[in-house]
Amino acid sequence: MNIIITGANRGLGLMLVLEAAKRGHRVWAGVRDVSSQAAGSLINIAKQYTGMVEIVPLDVSDEVGIASLANRLRKEGRSIDSIINNAAVLIGRERSLEELDISELERTMDVNVYGPVRMVKHFMRLLPVGSSTIVNISSASGSFERAYGGDYSYAISKAALNLFSHQLHHLLEPKGIQIYAVHPGWLRTDMGGPQATNDPSMPAPGIIDLAEGKIKCEGAHVFVDHNGNALPK
């Protein structure tokens, strides 16, 4: 399989690259900064799995850059079997609604929602009909049924991402392209913090299983956990 993963230099993204490479998949690992300081661990994985992992500059807020990479791969005759939209930000979570900084909300939407939209817009044409997947890394904070008063920017962005995922399901499922919005759990990453319950390596195998089509979600279940279990909308 050929897989493109955004936000691949740390946390869950890094573990997804490692899991995919272990299984013999060809991975384009997208990062904003390809320097050794920012992508050191990813560079080590690329060296370990020579020829399987290509680190590519990919800022999901830069549509020109996204389009350029998609066009490059198309000209090379590449197809993409799975897009994993992992890149995200969590900022201003401590703010009350009265203190909400709208610029932080705008930045969050730009990365967490518009980023996946840009990625699908330009890479969708590289997806083989009948045998490909789009995995949007979401969060239970985007569930309408589990909504709470807090994390406004992040929760709103993930709810919007879930809606976009359902729209993609209706658009692409007739072509045999599977769409998932995946809640990976509370992870010990720069975003999740040290008090989180799970290591980012924990959900990676299940997410790659979804990308491979090994896990089949019954019905129109789009919003799922990393094992493919349906979550409340």
Side-chain angles (χ1 to χ4, degrees):
M1 284 181 63
N2 294 330
I3 303 176
I4 188 164
I5 301 172
T6 66
N9 63 311
R10 59 184 180 178
L12 178 59
L14 186 69
M15 292 298 99
L16 291 171
V17 172
L18 179 59
E19 183 66 27
K22 282 181 179 178
R23 299 188 188 192
H25 299 312
R26 178 77 164 82
V27 181
W28 284 271
V31 296
R32 286 187 302 162
D33 184 354
V34 298
S35 70
S36 58
Q37 182 176 1
S41 296
L42 183 59
I43 291 170
N44 291 335
I45 292 174
K47 289 178 179 178
Q48 182 180 358
Y49 295 92
T50 305
M52 302 303 297
V53 177
E54 179 182 349
I55 302 171
V56 293
L58 189 58
D59 182 344
V60 298
S61 63
D62 175 15
E63 185 166 3
V64 173
I66 292 171
S68 177
L69 179 59
N71 287 332
R72 190 205 105 188
L73 297 183
R74 179 179 57 81
K75 290 177 181 178
E76 292 175 358
R78 306 282 189 176
S79 63
I80 298 295
D81 300 292
S82 184
I83 302 168
I84 302 182
N85 287 310
N86 169 72
V89 296
L90 172 58
I91 51 179
R93 73 174 309 179
E94 74 285 353
R95 298 187 187 279
S96 68
L97 183 57
E98 295 86 348
E99 299 170 331
L100 186 64
D101 186 333
I102 297 301
S103 67
E104 292 178 344
L105 173 60
E106 291 171 340
R107 170 63 178 162
T108 302
M109 295 295 288
D110 190 33
V111 175
N112 296 7
V113 184
Y114 308 155
V117 172
R118 295 181 186 106
M119 287 293 296
V120 175
K121 173 184 174 181
H122 291 284
F123 282 95
M124 184 172 65
R125 56 185 168 175
L126 300 182
L127 293 171
V129 172
S131 60
S132 52
T133 58
I134 298 172
V135 178
N136 295 321
I137 302 302
S138 186
S139 168
S141 66
S143 167
F144 276 61
E145 293 183 28
R146 296 181 178 179
Y148 55 93
D151 291 338
Y152 295 100
S153 296
Y154 186 74
I156 290 169
S157 73
K158 292 304 184 180
L161 182 61
N162 289 351
L163 175 59
F164 177 57
S165 300
H166 278 85
Q167 290 179 307
L168 288 176
H169 170 76
H170 289 292
L171 175 67
L172 298 177
E173 193 273 339
K175 298 180 180 180
I177 299 173
Q178 300 300 310
I179 314 296
Y180 301 108
V182 179
H183 169 58
W186 187 22
L187 305 179
R188 288 189 295 274
T189 63
D190 290 346
M191 180 181 293
Q195 303 304 316
T197 53
N198 295 311
D199 186 85
S201 62
M202 184 274 292
I207 293 171
I208 298 300
D209 283 346
L210 285 166
E212 292 175 334
K214 287 182 178 177
I215 296 177
K216 297 293 184 181
C217 301
E218 296 182 3
H221 296 311
V222 173
F223 186 31
V224 298
D225 67 14
H226 63 277
N227 291 316
N229 299 307
L231 296 175
K233 293 183 180 180

